[in-house]
């Protein structure tokens, strides 16, 4: 099984793509659970915080499909996902185009280079 190195940016990009894929299929609850906050990466362990036990149970039903997707896309079969319940987690939603741009720029800093190269507006 492959165990290629990857960084948090790569993981966040694939995480977001998977969430988008779920949203396109109509699985809006799971999409929102994935996008509720950014997961943290330590080595090959991805830690994702959710606001309550109900969210954790819902997330656990999809966790293994997500894990398979991430392992395949990041070419690393050592990846594990831990879910932590944190009652104080606040939802961070991007409402304006600037908020959405800033969120995407956090995930992939190359977006700023693309914006400057083609002289794009937000």
């Amino acid at each position: 099984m492959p165990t290629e190195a990857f960084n948090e940016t790569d993981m966040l990009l694939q995480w977001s793509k998977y969430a988008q894929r779920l949203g396109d299929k109509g699985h809006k609850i799971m999409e929102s659970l994935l996008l509720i906050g950014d997961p943290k990466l330590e080595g090959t362990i991805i830690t994702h915080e959710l606001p309550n036990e109900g969210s954790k149970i819902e997330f656990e039903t999809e966790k293994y499909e997500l894990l398979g997707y991430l392992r395949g896309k990041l070419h690393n079969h050592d990846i594990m996902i831990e879910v932590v319940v944190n009652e104080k987690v606040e939802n961070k939603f991007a409402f304006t185009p600037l908020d959405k741009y800033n969120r995407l720029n956090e995930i992939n800093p190359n977006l700023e280079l693309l914006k400057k190269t083609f002289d794009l507006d937000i």
Side-chain angles (χ1 to χ4, degrees):
M1 297 289 187
T3 56
E4 292 180 19
F6 63 96
N7 60 34
E8 191 167 24
T9 303
D10 296 334
M11 182 270 300
L12 287 172
L13 182 62
Q14 293 303 324
W15 187 277
S16 296
K17 284 182 180 180
Y18 188 79
Q20 178 67 43
R21 197 170 117 191
L22 286 175
D24 292 345
K25 290 181 181 178
H27 301 277
K28 298 296 184 182
I29 293 173
M30 188 61 191
E31 177 189 24
S32 67
L33 291 176
L34 286 168
L35 298 176
I36 206 163
D38 289 338
K40 304 292 182 230
L41 179 66
E42 285 187 35
T44 58
I45 299 173
I46 300 168
T47 305
H48 187 53
E49 286 188 1
L50 293 172
N52 56 51
E53 281 295 324
S55 298
K56 180 179 178 181
I57 292 168
E58 183 72 29
F59 184 86
E60 294 284 341
T61 62
E62 184 75 26
K63 176 178 160 179
Y64 294 102
E65 288 183 38
L66 169 62
L67 194 53
Y69 176 85
L70 291 174
R71 285 176 175 174
K73 292 294 185 179
L74 298 172
H75 308 289
N76 190 317
H77 285 266
D78 292 339
I79 297 172
M80 300 298 290
I81 298 175
E82 290 182 359
V83 180
V84 177
V85 175
N86 181 355
E87 300 286 336
K88 296 181 182 177
V89 171
E90 295 179 19
N91 293 343
K92 297 176 185 174
F93 294 104
F95 293 109
T96 67
L98 182 59
D99 291 340
K100 291 177 184 176
Y101 170 77
N102 289 335
R103 170 78 172 105
L104 291 172
N105 197 34
E106 287 175 16
I107 294 171
N108 189 352
N110 291 329
L111 189 61
E112 183 65 29
L113 176 64
L114 182 69
K115 180 180 172 255
K116 288 180 181 177
T117 302
F118 294 103
D119 193 32
L120 301 172
D121 292 332
I122 297 175

